[in-house]
Amino acid sequence: MAERILYQFPISHYCEKSRWQLDHKGLAYRTVNLLPVAHRVRTQWLARGNTVPLLRDGKRRVSDSTKIAYYLEKYYPDQPLLPKAGDARARVIELEQQFDRYGVHVRRWVYGQILDRSEVMTALVGDCGLPGPLERLAKPLVREAIRRGYAINPQRVMRSEQRVEEALVLLESELKKGQGQYLVGDRFSLADITAASMLAPLISPQGSPWDLFDETTLSPTLRKQMENWRARPAGKWLLAMYAQR
């Protein structure tokens, strides 16, 4: 049987989205952590792209979490995450796209709070197979590349916080329309995976890729914000999703 590999950054919420889908479908795979920035050498060679996640499934290679999602639905239809047709399918697709776009703002806001923490670089660089001296050299370079590449500056972070609030309101609005468990209908779908994985970095569910910190060492302002988010309906839903993850 051909080996299935997911090339990733371990704390990327877009990579988490693909891991979740693979797990839901019961597909065996292994992950390979790539060094941010330098990852482009590997991804260009594999799929002529610059993004992770990148799935290598035997001879097939697919990059981008949304493209991977549709690929998995096509070639591995068991445990479906997309309704076959109709309004439900259209709504799942629409919500997947909306929460995917909000993920950019979640990433910027979260990195705006924690990028300078040593735990972040340890998570991103520490398991990439670099010798100790190169790892120590890479960490500050990766940090600054993220700061520039994702526009981590006070003005942009503040604007992204407003978009984060929009995403939480959208999630709560959609939950009110249904039974409060799933976003579309009465079945777990790609919309649920996308919303949960994109927004979870805001509240760092226990056991998630973002459960990196001793929260008593975070600033009082950040701890208070996380507590507020966890207490609202969106936060409770995210925690419930990760409890079942």
Side-chain angles (χ1 to χ4, degrees):
M1 184 176 179
E3 186 176 26
R4 192 176 293 114
I5 303 171
L6 187 71
Y7 296 91
Q8 65 165 13
F9 302 150
I11 59 172
S12 161
H13 47 354
Y14 291 98
C15 296
E16 171 73 346
K17 175 183 165 187
S18 293
R19 289 192 300 266
W20 199 330
Q21 188 178 15
L22 286 160
D23 291 340
H24 174 80
K25 288 181 171 292
L27 298 173
Y29 67 100
R30 68 181 178 94
T31 58
V32 172
N33 293 334
L34 300 182
L35 182 68
V37 183
H39 76 280
R40 294 171 184 168
V41 175
R42 182 75 69 90
T43 58
Q44 279 285 345
W45 174 65
L46 287 169
R48 297 182 180 178
N50 292 323
T51 63
V52 293
L54 189 158
L55 179 66
R56 183 174 183 173
D57 187 21
K59 294 183 179 180
R60 298 188 184 103
R61 300 166 187 186
V62 189
S63 64
D64 180 83
S65 65
T66 297
K67 291 179 181 177
I68 290 171
Y70 286 101
Y71 168 84
L72 293 175
E73 289 301 302
K74 178 179 179 179
Y75 289 99
Y76 302 97
D78 291 347
Q79 300 294 322
L81 288 163
L82 270 176
K84 291 185 178 180
D87 292 343
R89 181 182 178 88
R91 189 57 180 154
V92 168
I93 291 171
E94 182 179 8
L95 288 172
E96 187 272 342
Q97 293 173 347
Q98 287 181 288
F99 284 112
D100 225 50
R101 289 192 292 268
Y102 281 126
V104 173
H105 297 283
V106 170
R107 179 175 61 197
R108 181 179 294 125
W109 188 89
V110 170
Y111 274 137
Q113 317 310 311
I114 65 171
L115 183 58
D116 291 324
R117 299 273 308 207
S118 63
E119 298 96 328
V120 176
M121 288 303 110
T122 296
L124 281 173
V125 180
D127 196 25
C128 291
L130 295 177
L134 283 180
E135 182 179 321
R136 289 191 292 274
L137 177 64
K139 285 179 178 179
L141 297 176
V142 169
R143 179 182 294 112
E144 291 312 305
I146 289 173
R147 199 184 308 277
R148 292 193 301 270
Y150 295 154
I152 312 299
N153 62 66
Q155 294 77 21
R156 298 289 294 275
V157 169
M158 185 178 299
R159 288 198 290 271
S160 283
E161 184 171 2
Q162 298 170 353
R163 302 301 302 277
V164 165
E165 177 62 23
E166 289 177 16
L168 294 169
V169 169
L170 173 62
L171 174 57
E172 290 169 347
S173 173
E174 293 301 315
L175 291 172
K176 283 183 180 179
K177 293 177 183 177
Q179 302 300 315
Q181 183 176 9
Y182 302 122
L183 291 176
V184 180
D186 59 358
R187 293 187 62 181
F188 188 63
S189 74
L190 183 60
D192 299 296
I193 285 181
T194 306
S197 55
M198 291 301 109
L199 299 178
L202 300 171
I203 63 170
S204 300
Q206 187 174 9
S208 75
W210 309 283
D211 184 14
L212 298 173
F213 309 105
D214 173 357
E215 291 191 10
T216 64
T217 67
L218 299 175
S219 71
T221 301
L222 180 55
R223 291 204 308 271
K224 181 63 174 176
Q225 180 67 82
M226 292 173 67
E227 290 169 3
N228 289 342
W229 279 334
R230 287 169 179 162
R232 63 188 287 176
K236 291 178 180 178
W237 182 84
L238 291 168
L239 291 172
M241 286 289 106
Y242 266 86
Q244 301 167 27
R245 170 75 171 85

